[in-house]
């Protein structure tokens, strides 16, 4: 009671070139080298397991350079506060987005980097473009408007630092209204296509021709 709806699965499993499969539980990376028949738990993701819990809502990529990048929502900080009568979020509603990096195949992890400290309802995807840039289709809650928007985040240094694009806002009001749960792909012509779920009865799309820096 009082909790947000259970999250749907996202891109939280990745298979590397040598057949190793990476995935996660709440506090550890897990790997399998026998097509999932057995799993090994690697070292803990966080120094303080009470401060961070990876929600099942997360996205994982192993870059061409061999760096593992995990984007996750921190369930330890979740506070779902929605005024049903006004159909608006209440102050303090939060489910922040963080990034983790590993340069040694998941044996050790960086300190979490916070990308967004408000309520993020979904992290569905992350891609690496042909130039090496990372793009995450983030989701953010517009507190005054009472709806979600999509905001892509980009990194050109393998997730060490991130830049923030303009928001993509399609209007609406409600705890599942607005531009939500985006995914993306880079086409052979280098354009990046983003597909965005809505409560309007159809999907929206947005395009970038410059590695995710700007969007239609």
């Amino acid at each position: 009671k009082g909790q947000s709806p259970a999250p749907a699965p996202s891109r939280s499993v990745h298979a590397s070139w040598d057949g190793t499969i990476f995935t996660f539980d709440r506090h550890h990376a897990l790997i399998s080298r026998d097509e999932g028949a057995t799993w090994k738990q690697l070292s803990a993701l966080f120094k303080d397991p009470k401060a961070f819990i990876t929600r099942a809502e997360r996205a994982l990529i192993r870059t061409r350079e061999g760096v593992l990048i995990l984007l996750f929502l921190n369930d330890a900080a979740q506070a779902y506060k929605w005024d049903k009568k006004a159909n608006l979020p209440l102050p303090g509603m939060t489910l922040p987005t963080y990034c983790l990096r590993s340069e040694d195949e998941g044996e050790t992890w960086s300190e979490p980097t916070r990308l967004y400290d408000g309520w993020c309802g979904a992290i569905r995807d992350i891609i690496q473009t042909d130039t090496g840039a990372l793009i995450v289709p983030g989701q953010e809650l517009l507190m005054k408007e009472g709806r979600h928007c999509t905001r892509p985040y980009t990194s050109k240094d393998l997730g060490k630092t991130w830049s923030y694009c303009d928001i993509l806002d399609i209007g609406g009001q409600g705890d599942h209204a607005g531009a939500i749960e985006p995914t993306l792909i880079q086409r052979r012509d280098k354009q990046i296509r983003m597909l965005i779920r809505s409560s309007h009865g159809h999907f929206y799309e947005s395009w970038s021709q410059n590695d995710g820096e700007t969007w239609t």
Side-chain angles (χ1 to χ4, degrees), residues 4 8 16 27 29 42 65 73 84 123 132 141 156 167 173-174 185 188 196 209 214:
S4 62
S16 66
H27 288 113
L42 301 180
E65 296 80 4
L73 308 184
K84 293 184 178 179
I123 287 290
L141 178 62
K156 295 184 177 179
I167 66 171
Q173 186 176 352
I185 190 171
R188 290 190 182 94
I196 304 168
Q209 300 186 44
T214 59

Side-chain angles (χ1 to χ4, degrees), residues 46-63:
F46 312 111
K47 293 179 179 178
D48 183 358
K50 294 182 179 179
F52 293 97
I53 298 173
T54 68
R55 191 173 173 87
E57 200 70 59
R58 52 190 175 232
L60 169 68
I61 193 171
R62 186 180 190 273
T63 69

Side-chain angles (χ1 to χ4, degrees), residues 4-216:
S4 62
S10 59
R11 185 180 291 183
S12 57
V13 177
H14 183 79
S16 66
W17 61 270
D18 64 355
T20 302
I21 304 172
F22 295 89
T23 190
F24 294 83
D25 62 18
R26 290 153 64 91
H27 288 113
H28 299 86
L30 307 172
I31 63 168
S32 174
R33 293 190 172 91
D34 54 12
E35 299 185 341
T38 60
W39 292 86
K40 176 185 177 182
Q41 186 182 83
L42 301 180
S43 57
L45 298 173
F46 312 111
K47 293 179 179 178
D48 183 358
K50 294 182 179 179
F52 293 97
I53 298 173
T54 68
R55 191 173 173 87
E57 200 70 59
R58 52 190 175 232
L60 169 68
I61 193 171
R62 186 180 190 273
T63 69
R64 292 188 291 272
E65 296 80 4
V67 180
L68 286 168
I69 309 286
L70 174 66
L71 277 295
F72 71 96
L73 308 184
N74 184 16
D75 247 357
Q78 181 195 156
Y80 181 77
K81 302 179 179 182
W82 195 273
D83 186 332
K84 293 184 178 179
K85 186 176 180 180
N87 200 22
L88 289 170
L90 294 169
M93 181 167 167
T94 182
L95 182 58
T97 306
Y98 283 85
C99 173
L100 283 174
R101 303 174 70 257
S102 175
E103 297 183 3
D104 56 9
E105 300 296 316
E107 293 292 342
T108 60
W109 293 86
S110 66
E111 288 294 314
T113 299
R114 189 172 64 191
L115 273 66
Y116 172 60
D117 61 0
W119 178 274
C120 175
I123 287 290
R124 282 284 186 271
D125 212 352
I126 178 174
I127 66 168
Q128 186 177 28
T129 69
D130 66 318
T131 67
L134 297 174
I135 307 177
V136 176
Q139 180 180 318
E140 299 184 3
L141 178 62
L142 301 174
M143 294 292 290
K144 293 182 179 180
E145 295 82 355
R147 63 174 176 266
H148 302 275
C149 69
T150 289
R151 185 194 295 273
Y153 311 132
T154 63
S155 176
K156 295 184 177 179
D157 56 9
L158 299 177
K160 294 178 181 178
T161 60
W162 294 87
S163 298
Y164 299 82
C165 305
D166 292 336
I167 66 171
L168 302 174
D169 184 11
I170 62 173
Q173 186 176 352
D175 67 352
H176 274 68
I180 64 175
E181 300 176 6
T183 62
L184 40 71
I185 190 171
Q186 185 173 36
R187 305 196 322 171
R188 290 190 182 94
D189 62 7
K190 311 305 180 185
Q191 292 189 89
I192 301 167
R193 184 194 188 206
M194 186 188 301
L195 192 67
I196 304 168
R197 180 186 171 190
S198 80
S199 57
H200 297 173
H202 52 264
F203 288 95
Y204 284 77
E205 66 179 3
S206 182
W207 295 83
S208 176
Q209 300 186 44
N210 55 7
D211 263 4
E213 293 183 9
T214 59
W215 296 84
T216 62

